[in-house]
Amino acid sequence: MADAGAAEMTRNPRALASALRKISGNPNIAAVRNEDVAQLFIEHPLHKKENSFSLSSLFATHPPIEKRIQALEQF
């Protein structure tokens, strides 16, 4: 819902999708290699991406970035 609200407010959902794509492109920032700050990333940089359902997805606060981008591009 936050993405939809931002798309309505900015009137540019493709720019928001582009921003999500950029920030999700390389979560392995050289200056940040510590597990203590990994939870600050939009997507946990140390966890492998999974295509299938997992127990952790039940407690996720956001859908996967790929789904968010797809929804913004169809907005």
Side-chain angles (χ1 to χ4, degrees):
M1 295 208 36
D3 291 336
E8 287 180 7
M9 187 176 3
T10 63
R11 294 188 173 105
N12 197 348
R14 291 184 189 269
L16 295 170
S18 176
L20 280 175
R21 195 175 290 108
K22 287 176 186 176
I23 62 175
S24 69
N26 185 9
N28 298 318
I29 298 172
V32 182
R33 295 184 186 260
N34 194 334
E35 175 65 29
D36 295 339
V37 296
Q39 68 273 12
L40 299 174
F41 286 83
I42 289 178
E43 269 191 6
H44 197 293
L46 304 175
H47 290 168
K48 293 180 182 177
K49 291 185 179 184
E50 299 176 3
N51 292 332
S52 61
F53 175 79
S54 68
L55 185 59
S56 64
S57 67
L58 288 174
F59 303 103
T61 58
H62 293 79
I65 288 183
E66 295 83 14
K67 288 186 179 181
R68 294 173 64 193
I69 291 170
Q70 185 179 31
L72 283 167
E73 288 175 340
Q74 295 174 358
F75 193 78

